Amino acid sequence: HLDVRYGPTARVIADVARERGAEVVVVGAGRHRAVDRLVGDEVALGVARHGTVPVLAVAPDQRVPLRRAVVGVDFGAASVRAARLALALLDPPAGDERA
């Protein structure tokens, strides 16, 4: 199935994630210039701003497995979900005594 959408990239990604019941959106974090961020052309940031689910931005040189995560938490529902997702992505899984 191929679904083509037109419009502002970040908003379209956020809308499709909402429509399809996505639990997380994964986007590439390309190398953007400071001016891109100033004029709002940062896709990952735009998806986070318009979306309703956590956004994972992956750097082009990201190595796996992920062993450390930093999560800013205000103890609201969204930040608690983000913290749980971060824990689930770690290898070994958080709480694994082999770490």
Side-chain angles (χ1 to χ4, degrees):
H1 176 80
L2 177 63
D3 185 6
V4 178
R5 306 277 179 110
Y6 295 98
T9 305
R11 186 169 299 271
V12 169
I13 292 170
D15 289 348
V16 170
R18 191 176 305 106
E19 290 168 14
R20 297 196 179 181
E23 294 180 24
V24 66
V25 174
V26 180
V27 296
R31 306 210 191 291
H32 294 283
R33 301 168 296 163
V35 71
D36 294 331
R37 289 182 179 88
L38 289 173
V39 298
D41 197 26
E42 174 71 31
V43 173
L45 197 56
V47 174
R49 194 175 295 125
H50 296 295
T52 57
V53 297
V55 177
L56 175 60
V58 181
D61 56 351
Q62 176 63 49
R63 295 187 317 242
V64 289
L66 301 176
R67 299 203 183 274
R68 292 184 194 94
V70 175
V71 181
V73 178
D74 65 3
F75 300 102
S79 65
V80 171
R81 284 192 310 273
R84 287 186 176 138
L85 176 63
L87 288 173
L89 292 173
L90 295 178
D91 183 47
D96 189 331
E97 297 304 318
R98 296 175 293 149

